[in-house]
Amino acid sequence: MTQQRWLRIIPVALVMYTISYVDRTNVSLALDPTLSSMMRDLFMDDRMKGEAAGIFFLGYVLLQIPGGYWATRWSPRKVIAVLLICWGACAIGCGLSRSFRQFEAMRFLLGVAESGVFPATLVLLANWFPRGERARANAYWTLCQPLAVAASAPLTAWLLGAYGWQQMLILEGMLPFLWLPLWWFCIRDHPRDATWVSGEERRWLEATLQREAEELKPANASGGWRIFGEPAVWVLIAMYFVQNCAAYGCMTFFTSSLKGKGFSGLQYGILFGIPYALTAVIMVLNSRHSDFARERRGHVALVYGLSGISLILSVSFKERFWLSYGLMCLAIPGPFAAMGPFWAIPSETFPRAAAGMVVGLVNAFGNLGGFAGPYITGWLKQEYQSLVIAFSTLGTGLLIGAALAFLLPRTARQLATAPATEPA
């Protein structure tokens, strides 16, 4: 029975968040004038394109802290069930838009509806997976982000060609309603609530998680809202901000580098998805090694650094398409591959009662990079008629994030006190 947690919790959470990520990233293809008439229909330029893609993240700030708080104090399962209904309705609303302002408003509300999902899911995973497993649990769950792009990009491109951008958004917006019943009947908040967990495993989990919670109390006795005055929180916010600037800035404007090469819509979708398929592999390898080495900061800094350098080089060789594309395949993984060890840090350095609120704060303000990245990239592209300055700026931000990682507290000594695996 020792693998049941991995087989029951992770896949259901992965698909749930994959659906939310599809609703976020399908707009990147819909806003490509080569594939869709959306920009023409809504009278948009590159600056407005970046604004429309990024405004989601202004709404995404609003329920981050409440979402983590409600999940900790009430129920992550119930919080996410409510949000599934809300974001499905908003996603369909995006497809019903008839003007730029209507679409922008629905994208903002979609961000609000999805904003509590991420911290609530991290709280759920912290209820099920001890520290020695948490980077892997976080990474396996967040595999949805690159997998959503890799799997949905060809389908989205085909739907755009067959039905148009509005019908595509409506069809993909219905997915949360289809997944809601499976989420409700498969997920439980704690091991004690699940009948499919063996007694031995339940006792081991409850004892291990309780011991880990007690170990964190002496090091962080302040608790409550005072915890947000600690420097490590703001370092995490700064890192997550530059990470999201790069992730969503690249995603929104990546297809611009494919223009004029004679690719079909389906080929566009495949070329768009390949870097994200590679990202999934690197995410698993980096998170597994992070758990094995019991180290977080270096694993975050390494993938940030690799992506930052590759992104800068990719636009330096923009005249050599396949070399530039190969470097982009190395540039895109970093922000995603860092997430497993990155999101293990709050639950390993803050008290359990405060970790959900810390996650919400970091995710809220850090995700403003999801607005800033596309907006700044679109503005710089329009200003200089090129992505060289824009992508070089994003790459430099990642290199700064890599340096900031070493300002975070170490977690290796704390991890060394906890068993890595449960009894068979």
Side-chain angles (χ1 to χ4, degrees), residues 165-202:
W165 65 271
Q166 291 175 311
Q167 288 78 7
M168 179 275 291
L169 291 175
I170 291 171
L171 289 171
E172 294 188 348
M174 295 173 63
L175 293 175
F177 297 104
L178 299 178
W179 196 248
L180 177 61
L182 278 81
W183 172 264
W184 185 256
F185 290 109
C186 292
I187 294 295
R188 293 294 180 267
D189 289 323
H190 299 277
R192 61 178 176 268
D193 302 324
T195 58
W196 44 266
V197 176
S198 68
E200 180 185 7
E201 184 179 9
R202 184 181 298 109

Side-chain angles (χ1 to χ4, degrees), residues 107-144:
R107 285 284 296 173
F108 175 82
L109 292 175
L110 179 62
V112 175
E114 291 188 17
S115 60
V117 176
F118 191 89
T121 308
L122 285 177
V123 171
L124 175 71
L125 296 184
N127 290 343
W128 281 93
F129 297 95
R131 283 197 305 251
E133 301 173 338
R134 202 161 292 155
R136 281 171 290 165
N138 290 344
Y140 293 159
W141 162 54
T142 52
L143 276 175
C144 62

